[in-house]
Amino acid sequence: ETGVTQSPTHLIKTRGQQVTLRCSSQSGHNTVSWYQQALGQGPQFIFQYYREEENGRGNFPPRFSGLQFPNYSSELNVNALELDDSALYLCASSAGTSGRNNEQFFGPGTRLTVL
Amino acid sequence: GNSVTQMEGPVTLSEEAFLTINCTYTATGYPSLFWYVQYPGEGLQLLLKATKADDKGSNKGFEATYRKETTSFHLEKGSVQVSDSAVYFCALGPSGGYNKLIFGAGTRLAVHP
């Protein structure tokens, strides 16, 4: 069984640029959630995708957008990068969208640095 | 809204010492509660969970009991090892709706030989 994978591992961008981060979900999982973890803080929920549709969103501006593909992999896109976007971006997959037993499995993250 | 509060770190202990990391929550309904661990340079790993009041989650010598009366889910381990050094996150799962986790700020644990 392959776990959650993310690419790239590290990325350096400058203010105003755009970035795309990628996530492959665990086998058998149809739901992907994205989280932003700033240095020294806990992860913050960005949004969730289920069957290629956005299923819920946290308190992030529209320049954070995403996609989910038919194979349930996902992309996170951030436009007009700001310095505060520097963070570890975590992807998590699960076998469903709701219910207390839908454990989320996390990938290793992508470290984004905005200069 | 729902929220999680963890004790601030860092927590520094000697090997074989007793560990407690406090976690309290605010939530409506009956959420699930989780402890995740993050080792240096890695993503999050689920350490243990509890899905209803009075449930005890346990794994690798760590335990936490879901206390609805005190809205707490404190993490404990009787004898820590150097390899337990990591950042520990308490998290709140949904009591309804979609599967979103709310995390505390994390507590860094450093265990010295």
Side-chain angles (χ1 to χ4, degrees):
Chain A
E1 183 181 87
T2 305
V4 179
T5 60
Q6 293 186 242
S7 63
T9 305
H10 297 88
L11 203 50
I12 299 174
K13 292 284 189 179
T14 56
R15 272 186 304 174
Q17 285 189 311
Q18 178 266 342
V19 69
T20 298
L21 310 182
R22 295 179 175 82
C23 171
S24 292
S25 60
Q26 185 165 308
S27 176
H29 288 182
N30 58 16
T31 303
V32 172
S33 302
W34 286 92
Y35 293 82
Q36 181 195 64
Q37 185 181 10
L39 196 62
Q41 297 183 25
Q44 300 289 316
F45 176 76
I46 303 174
F47 44 53
Q48 181 182 89
Y49 277 82
Y50 170 67
R51 293 187 176 178
E52 303 177 58
E53 298 280 338
E54 186 178 292
N55 188 51
R57 189 177 184 93
N59 189 26
F60 281 81
R63 58 189 186 85
F64 285 78
S65 63
L67 284 173
Q68 187 179 33
F69 300 98
N71 66 353
Y72 304 126
S73 65
S74 177
E75 287 183 354
L76 164 65
N77 298 290
V78 187
N79 292 322
L81 283 167
E82 301 177 0
L83 296 180
D84 285 349
D85 295 334
S86 295
L88 180 68
Y89 288 84
L90 295 165
C91 167
S93 74
S94 58
T97 63
S98 64
R100 58 186 69 246
N101 292 316
N102 275 328
E103 179 181 338
Q104 295 192 33
F105 293 80
F106 284 82
T110 294
R111 173 75 61 189
L112 172 65
T113 301
V114 181
L115 302 176
Chain B
N2 294 357
S3 66
V4 175
T5 302
Q6 285 183 240
M7 65 184 284
E8 289 189 18
V11 174
T12 303
L13 295 173
S14 298
E15 208 165 23
E16 300 183 3
F18 184 85
L19 168 71
T20 300
I21 300 177
N22 290 340
C23 171
T24 57
Y25 67 90
T26 302
T28 56
Y30 301 92
S32 299
L33 295 169
F34 304 83
W35 278 100
Y36 281 84
V37 59
Q38 187 173 38
Y39 296 100
E42 298 184 12
L44 299 176
Q45 299 177 26
L46 179 64
L47 182 59
L48 53 83
K49 68 178 182 181
T51 59
K52 61 183 187 297
D54 299 326
D55 264 3
K56 177 185 284 189
S58 61
N59 186 28
K60 300 180 181 180
F62 291 89
E63 293 183 340
T65 302
Y66 187 160
R67 301 285 190 201
K68 190 162 178 64
E69 64 276 14
T70 54
T71 62
S72 66
F73 192 55
H74 303 322
L75 182 68
E76 297 182 337
K77 187 175 185 184
S79 176
V80 293
Q81 306 300 312
V82 172
S83 57
D84 294 326
S85 298
V87 181
Y88 293 81
F89 293 94
C90 184
L92 187 67
S95 50
Y98 61 90
N99 194 9
K100 158 191 169 182
L101 292 171
I102 297 172
F103 287 88
T107 303
R108 181 174 299 278
L109 170 66
V111 181
H112 299 289

